[in-house]
Amino acid sequence: MEWATTTLALYGMGGAALATSLMTLRRRLHLSHAKHASLAGHARIARRLAALVPFYEYDEAQFFNSDGAPADIAARRRAGFERLSALYATRFAETIRCSAEAAASISDLQFTDAYRVPFQYSGYARARLPSAAFVQSSDGVTVTDLDGNRFYDLTGSYGVNVLGYDFYKEAIERGAARVRALGPVLGPYHPLIAENVAMLKEISGLDEVSFHMSGTEAVMQAVRLARYHTRRTHLVRFCGAYHGWWGDVQPGIGNPLPAHETYTLRDLSEDSLRVLQTRRDIACVLVNPLQALHPNAGAPSDSALLDSARRAHFDKVAYGNWLKRLRAVCTEQNIVLVFDEVFVGFRLARGGAQEYFDVRADLVTYGKTLGGGLPIGVVCGRCDLMKRFRSDRPADICFARGTFNSHPYVMAAMNEFLRHLHTPQAEGLYRDLDRTWNERAQRLNQRLRAEALPVAVANMSSIWTVCYEQPSRYNWMFQYYLRAEGLALSWVGTGRLIFSLNYTNADFDAVVDRFVAAAKAMEQDGWWWGNPAVANRSIKGAILKEMIAHRLFPERGGNWR
Ligand SMILES: Cc1ncc(COP(=O)(O)O)c(C=O)c1O
């Protein structure tokens, strides 16, 4: 009898263990189905492979014919390149001189310089088309370099510049005047903070606010709060999404350590919803609505533009529906839904992505433009999620500080920004925003098509990306032609153009003319010479082969024999 009971108990325990293992296996399978097939969806593999990529660069001849172009095309490219190089040397002389001098001691400049174009071409291009990283003034939608050249600004200052530089100059000045009596006193607050809090609550539709110094810190705090209140460990981010440079939200290339408590899931995917429905360790889901423009792909940068595979397309309805489904699953599973609106907040609509897509989040992070031109990060959230201590467990707290949080000058510039959002002028600005920018994108595309140029833009409101329509290894050269035409881009080049909303039709027409002129010049110089036998896939294949050869035979300069 006793023996039978023991056997039964063992069978029971075995059965339970088997059931648990099967469930764990099922959850693992769900997780692997929910990973995007690209390397961006596999952070660990991406990091390991990145460590294997060898450095090599093209010599002078290869620089002009790495795609096997015939001699006459290579000669046209060379002539065009030399013309551009001479133009840079004269027109941007002082700006280039200052940049070169500063770069020796500014690590950030060294990094951005090195990664403007694919590394195989970078050394040769950098030596002859050096970076000109200084400007001395801004005015309207333009910036002026140290040589007095005025450029239409398409950098948008990383997205900060929504209302135009002149607005922020005034916001900073007016704000500074209002808090001058207090000065840089930290700890106690200047009274105008109360108005900021009231306006942020109204705009976000959420109960409480916390102030930080950058978007990265706001995201860190949102995730920390979600973990504290759910008592769960993991955050979910979607493939390709940027949420600042903190380790847990940057699990792939760029972070020397693996992020053990991060799941990177496929955007717009049923499989990802199933992971959220079945795992018990997920504290929060982070959404960067900018991904709607290029779901599952990282921020487009010309440093990776070795072919023409870059794609972007924005479908507001489809992405909005996806967010609604995500909202429903998060509510059902008590997962905190965080909208990271550091980039898109106040750019798409006055009420940000929540209003634009008509979906409410539990926590929202803001930054960039909200500081009225000064550094900022903000978290708005439900009061139960924002609380940093437990009334019944006094030692169980969720710590967050930051010396410069709520700096009076930042709060004052923010106040000017938020007050402006409540003016009829700002309301008018947001009313026709998408129509204005969609029409402008269409207008530019029509011009490019009419000239039979293999370039097109895709846009999400005022955030644009340049796509290339015929397979080519040389699209990254376009950034230099655009600069020569007086268009200023950020270091990611043509991957991201950001317009401020004060662009008039006349300003925009000037940008279109210059953009088309740049594309024509690049075309005439032979960079888009098309070999009908070449497809994006074959370019990728050829580059992979080069990398393997350089890895295996570095002493032979990457030659197979
Ligand atoms: C969506 C998003 N989150 C967070 C950040 C990080 O903000 P910051 O650069 O102010 O730290 C950025 C910056 O580009 C961003 O675009």
Side-chain angles (χ1 to χ4, degrees):
M1 182 66 190
E2 217 170 81
W3 180 85
T5 315
T6 313
T7 311
L8 216 61
L10 283 175
Y11 272 128
M13 279 160 62
L18 185 66
T20 312
S21 313
L22 281 175
M23 267 173 50
T24 310
L25 188 68
R26 227 176 114 228
R27 280 202 290 266
R28 285 250 165 92
L29 278 174
H30 286 163
L31 194 57
S32 61
H33 282 144
K35 289 192 173 181
H36 192 254
S38 68
L39 277 179
H42 293 79
R44 276 177 205 205
I45 300 175
R47 275 217 325 278
R48 281 197 201 122
L49 287 179
L52 295 177
V53 173
F55 177 74
Y56 64 95
E57 58 187 337
Y58 295 141
D59 63 22
E60 192 163 353
Q62 288 168 319
F63 185 89
F64 296 105
N65 77 347
S66 59
D67 54 353
D72 60 322
I73 296 292
R76 255 163 70 192
R77 289 175 178 170
R78 185 190 290 269
F81 188 86
E82 280 167 7
R83 198 185 63 244
L84 266 184
S85 175
L87 181 147
Y88 266 52
T90 49
R91 195 181 287 171
F92 311 137
E94 179 57 12
T95 313
I96 287 173
R97 193 194 61 71
C98 267
S99 307
E101 205 175 290
S105 317
I106 302 181
S107 42
D108 198 45
L109 258 188
Q110 290 167 25
F111 177 78
T112 50
D113 275 5
Y115 287 90
R116 264 170 219 279
V117 306
F119 67 83
Q120 295 90 337
Y121 302 91
S122 181
Y124 192 86
R126 246 182 303 153
R128 289 151 189 90
L129 298 170
S131 107
F134 282 67
V135 282
Q136 58 177 334
S137 62
S138 65
D139 181 21
V141 294
T142 64
V143 288
T144 301
D145 72 5
L146 308 190
D147 298 274
N149 302 296
R150 270 176 90 173
F151 297 85
Y152 283 95
D153 183 71
L154 307 182
T155 73
S157 284
Y158 302 113
V160 169
N161 186 15
V162 174
L163 298 177
Y165 292 123
D166 297 325
F167 170 83
Y168 298 95
K169 285 182 199 172
E170 281 171 25
I172 291 170
E173 253 175 51
R174 278 200 308 267
R178 287 169 63 202
V179 295
R180 185 159 298 127
L182 178 62
V185 175
L186 299 171
Y189 295 138
H190 189 283
L192 57 70
I193 200 172
E195 194 178 311
N196 289 352
V197 169
M199 289 190 280
L200 282 167
K201 280 170 59 176
E202 186 261 309
I203 285 169
S204 67
L206 291 158
D207 313 318
E208 287 186 21
V209 179
S210 67
F211 294 107
H212 308 272
M213 282 79 62
S214 68
T216 299
E217 283 176 82
V219 172
M220 281 166 67
Q221 171 62 354
V223 173
R224 181 175 277 200
L225 284 168
R227 285 174 166 157
Y228 176 67
H229 288 288
T230 59
R231 298 179 195 269
R232 299 176 190 163
T233 47
H234 281 63
L235 71 90
V236 163
R237 66 184 272 274
F238 290 108
C239 181
Y242 184 67
H243 295 285
W245 60 282
W246 167 50
D248 280 20
V249 290
Q250 201 190 27
I253 296 170
N255 175 3
L257 289 179
H260 291 296
E261 270 118 17
T262 300
Y263 295 130
T264 297
L265 304 186
R266 204 169 348 131
D267 222 337
L268 298 153
S269 153
E270 289 302 314
D271 291 328
S272 300
L273 293 182
R274 198 164 51 188
V275 169
L276 299 179
Q277 278 161 334
T278 50
R279 293 199 79 94
R280 296 285 161 264
D281 54 355
I282 296 172
C284 63
V285 176
L286 283 174
V287 173
N288 176 356
L290 177 58
Q291 290 304 108
L293 182 58
H294 43 75
N296 290 304
S301 162
D302 285 1
S303 68
L305 199 58
L306 276 163
D307 60 19
S308 302
R310 180 193 284 167
R311 289 286 168 267
H313 172 69
F314 174 49
D315 182 339
K316 183 178 176 184
V317 174
Y319 194 75
N321 287 340
W322 157 249
L323 291 182
K324 288 186 178 85
R325 300 205 51 207
L326 195 59
R327 170 70 278 177
V329 172
C330 286
T331 304
E332 187 187 291
Q333 301 300 324
N334 284 322
I335 294 169
V336 179
L337 180 61
V338 185
F339 275 11
D340 179 0
E341 299 207 27
V342 168
F343 196 113
V344 299
F346 311 105
R347 181 170 279 281
L348 300 179
R350 180 176 164 277
Q354 289 194 103
E355 177 188 322
Y356 190 72
F357 292 109
D358 190 24
V359 180
R360 313 305 303 177
D362 302 310
L363 296 173
V364 180
T365 56
Y366 299 108
K368 296 197 190 265
T369 192
L370 176 56
L374 294 178
I376 192 64
V378 163
V379 182
C380 293
R382 275 175 18 207
C383 56
D384 56 319
L385 292 172
M386 295 292 280
K387 195 165 179 192
R388 299 182 189 175
F389 57 93
R390 302 189 202 284
S391 310
D392 57 340
R393 302 255 194 291
D396 184 1
I397 57 169
C398 181
F399 189 77
R401 297 306 302 160
T403 301
F404 285 104
N405 91 72
S406 313
H407 192 292
Y409 284 78
V410 178
M411 289 298 116
M414 180 192 290
N415 190 267
E416 294 292 327
F417 177 81
L418 288 170
R419 279 184 175 191
H420 182 79
L421 291 190
H422 289 79
T423 60
Q425 193 191 345
E427 273 164 28
L429 188 70
Y430 285 117
R431 202 171 303 125
D432 284 329
L433 203 55
D434 273 9
R435 192 153 53 87
T436 304
W437 288 101
N438 291 345
E439 270 172 20
R440 287 176 176 176
Q442 249 178 30
R443 192 138 44 96
L444 175 53
N445 281 338
Q446 274 160 5
R447 282 280 303 277
L448 291 163
R449 256 197 311 274
E451 304 279 354
L453 293 161
V455 190
V457 294
N459 73 304
M460 175 176 177
S461 206
S462 55
I463 308 162
W464 294 24
T465 191
V466 179
C467 299
Y468 298 91
E469 302 197 313
Q470 116 195 351
S472 168
R473 281 182 173 228
Y474 287 102
N475 298 315
W476 48 267
M477 268 302 293
F478 193 34
Q479 60 177 283
Y480 297 110
Y481 283 87
L482 290 169
R483 184 172 177 83
E485 288 295 332
L487 301 178
L489 308 182
S490 70
W491 70 279
V492 298
T494 62
R496 182 160 295 157
L497 315 182
I498 307 170
F499 290 90
S500 49
L501 306 187
N502 61 330
Y503 260 87
T504 62
N505 280 335
D507 294 328
F508 186 74
D509 287 344
V511 169
V512 169
D513 288 342
R514 289 164 188 234
F515 197 97
V516 172
K520 272 183 170 171
M522 174 138 162
E523 158 109 304
Q524 275 155 17
D525 287 342
W527 298 101
W528 282 316
W529 165 80
N531 178 350
V534 167
N536 289 324
R537 279 188 93 144
S538 55
I539 297 177
K540 276 201 180 74
I543 286 163
L544 186 64
K545 220 167 127 190
E546 274 174 27
M547 286 183 183
I548 295 172
H550 278 278
R551 177 83 200 163
L552 294 178
F553 313 115
E555 71 292 347
R556 286 193 238 149
N559 282 322
W560 288 92
R561 54 182 112 201

